[in-house]
């Protein structure tokens, strides 16, 4: 081998010199252990730190369980979080994108695993992100069972990182959603907390078009910055959706993510059926009103890109809709009927977004 070498490392090379700080990784694990421990639930057999997370499904009390899995990321919303340093809510975005999807199958989230990749590990930033993940897991009733932090110099620019997550839940076989929806079923919309985690490539283009910086005063929410307003975390819908699923007459639930209101609801109705949306019941919150006006966005494009203020839709039999709406309202939601299932494929609309 060419070059000067010796048993005592005379070349001065080390893994840290190559850009990977093992001590920083160990420090992060120690920092997040208390937050992860707070997510403990029935079935967890060991804390973080092992080569794999152990979970005892029998300890959860299911009679005839079916496992449901979901995986997702946060998307280009991360860019705003990184640029502003406001990263605390990104963990909830990650968890919500996964566990909300599980709830749409009627599944209770059991455990979650995260993956954080970066060029150089900043322990403080990573700890804030993972603490947010743990808090969201605790709120959703699932354990943060493990994860991976990958330090990959040369793959990411300084300060950049990426997030991905993986959730597993369980549902009794005879309680799996969706069930067969029927024409005349009502669409009950649950409010979003903002843009959530979809459409941010368009959001960022719109902000650039407006000529605004992330620290500019927010034009649609006085008293905060534009960046902070756009980073409001994705709402967790697990508790209200599972409460609705426990009642007779809930036929389906649809998490409004990429594809917006137009493409997501039709995913949970039978082939040959569609939905009719009453757009006058879908009042645009200020953030969407500003995004639509600033970009000159056509109504159809807004409906297939953004959640437009509705983050989850419950599909309920007409004679069950009042009870389902009351159940989720008791949990802090503000349900409203925004349309119905039809016997015509596709999406029809009446009224206009306002």
């Amino acid at each position: 081998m060419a070059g000067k070498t010796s048993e005592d490392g005379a070349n001065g090379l080390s893994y840290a010199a190559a850009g990977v700080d093992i001590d920083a990784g160990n420090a992060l694990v120690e920092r997040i252990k208390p937050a992860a421990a707070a997510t403990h639930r029935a079935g967890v057999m060991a804390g973080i730190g092992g080569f794999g997370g152990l979970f005892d499904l029998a300890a959860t009390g299911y009679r005839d369980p079916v496992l449901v899995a979901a995986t997702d990321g946060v998307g280009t919303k991360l860019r705003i979080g990184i640029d502003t340093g406001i990263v605390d809510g990104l963990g909830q975005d990650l968890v919500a994108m996964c566990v909300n999807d599980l709830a749409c199958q009627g599944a209770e989230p059991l455990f979650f695993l995260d993956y954080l990749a970066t060029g150089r590990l900043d322990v403080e930033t990573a700890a804030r992100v993972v603490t947010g993940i743990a808090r969201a897991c605790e709120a959703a009733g699932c354990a943060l069972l493990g994860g991976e932090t990958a330090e990959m110099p040369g793959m990411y620019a300084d300060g950049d990182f990426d997030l991905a997550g993986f959730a597993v839940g369980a549902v009794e076989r005879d309680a799996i959603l969706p069930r067969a929806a029927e024409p005349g079923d009502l669409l009950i919309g649950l409010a979003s907390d903002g843009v959530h985690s979809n459409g941010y490539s368009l959001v960022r283009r719109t902000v650039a078009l407006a000529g605004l910086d992330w620290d500019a005063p927010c034009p649609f929410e006085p008293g905060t910055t534009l960046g902070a307003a756009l980073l409001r975390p994705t709402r967790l819908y697990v508790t209200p959706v599972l409460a609705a699923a426990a009642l007779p007459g809930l036929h389906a639930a649809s998490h409004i993510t990429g594809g917006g209101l137009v493409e997501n609801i039709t995913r949970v109705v039978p082939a040959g059926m569609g939905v009719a949306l009453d757009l006058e019941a879908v009042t645009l919150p200020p953030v969407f009103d500003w995004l639509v006006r600033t970009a000159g966005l056509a109504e159809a494009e807004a409906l297939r890109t953004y959640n437009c203020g509705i983050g989850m839709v419950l599909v309920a039999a007409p004679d069950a809709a009042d009870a389902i709406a009351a159940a989720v309202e008791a949990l802090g939601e503000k349900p409203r009927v925004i349309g119905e299932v039809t016997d015509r494929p596709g999406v029809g609309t009446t009224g206009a977004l306002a």
Side-chain angles (χ1 to χ4, degrees), residues 17-18 80 85 121 160 192 218 226 232 238 255-256 297 303 317 335 343:
I80 306 175
L121 181 60
D160 281 0
S192 69
C218 182
L226 178 59
R232 186 159 289 114
V238 171
H255 186 199
I256 309 304
L297 209 60
L303 287 168
D343 58 5

Side-chain angles (χ1 to χ4, degrees), residues 167-181:
V168 171
V171 58
E172 296 288 7
R173 190 179 303 274
D174 57 7
I176 295 173
L177 293 176
R179 306 178 185 111

Side-chain angles (χ1 to χ4, degrees), residues 103-104 106 175-181 185-186 188 240-254 313-317 319-321 324 328:
C104 289
I176 295 173
L177 293 176
R179 306 178 185 111
D185 282 357
L186 298 180
I188 301 173
V241 172
L242 294 185
L247 299 175
L250 184 76
H251 290 159
S254 176
V313 173
L314 306 178
V315 181
D319 60 357
I324 288 171
V328 298

Side-chain angles (χ1 to χ4, degrees), residues 132-332:
I133 291 172
R135 288 173 177 165
C137 285
E138 186 177 7
C142 67
L144 179 55
L145 197 61
E148 173 71 7
T149 301
E151 195 171 18
M152 299 189 289
M155 292 293 291
Y156 296 88
D158 284 350
D160 281 0
F161 62 88
D162 198 8
L163 284 174
F166 179 86
V168 171
V171 58
E172 296 288 7
R173 190 179 303 274
D174 57 7
I176 295 173
L177 293 176
R179 306 178 185 111
E182 299 177 357
D185 282 357
L186 298 180
L187 308 178
I188 301 173
L190 307 185
S192 69
D193 282 344
V195 187
H196 285 181
S197 295
N198 295 100
Y200 274 85
S201 294
L202 180 56
V203 168
R204 290 165 53 235
R205 287 289 296 273
T206 302
V207 171
L209 180 66
L212 296 174
D213 295 324
W214 299 123
D215 60 358
C218 182
F220 53 85
E221 187 176 318
T224 190
T225 65
L226 178 59
L230 290 171
L231 284 167
R232 186 159 289 114
T234 307
R235 190 176 181 89
L236 292 160
Y237 293 103
V238 171
T239 299
V241 172
L242 294 185
L247 299 175
L250 184 76
H251 290 159
S254 176
H255 186 199
I256 309 304
T257 55
L261 280 170
V262 171
E263 295 185 8
N264 283 288
I265 306 174
T266 53
R267 293 169 61 183
V268 298
V269 299
M273 296 185 192
V275 298
L277 294 174
D278 176 7
L279 297 184
E280 295 191 3
V282 183
T283 303
L284 280 180
V287 57
F288 294 110
D289 180 63
W290 182 81
L291 288 168
V292 169
R293 285 189 296 102
T294 302
L297 209 60
E299 182 177 89
E301 187 69 11
L303 287 168
R304 70 191 300 267
T305 303
Y306 296 132
N307 66 60
C308 294
I310 302 294
M312 181 69 70
V313 173
L314 306 178
V315 181
D319 60 357
D322 286 346
I324 288 171
V328 298
E329 189 169 20
L331 294 169

Side-chain angles (χ1 to χ4, degrees), residues 326-344:
V328 298
E329 189 169 20
L331 294 169
E333 301 295 332
K334 296 179 179 179
R336 59 183 183 271
V337 174
I338 63 168
E340 64 179 22
V341 178
T342 69
D343 58 5
R344 299 177 301 281

Side-chain angles (χ1 to χ4, degrees), residues 85-112:
I86 304 173
V87 301
D88 304 83
L90 297 175
Q92 178 166 321
D93 285 310
L94 182 65
V95 173
M97 291 299 290
C98 296
V99 298
N100 287 345
D101 282 358
L102 294 185
C104 289
Q105 305 287 156
E108 171 197 13
L110 299 176
F111 58 84
F112 188 87

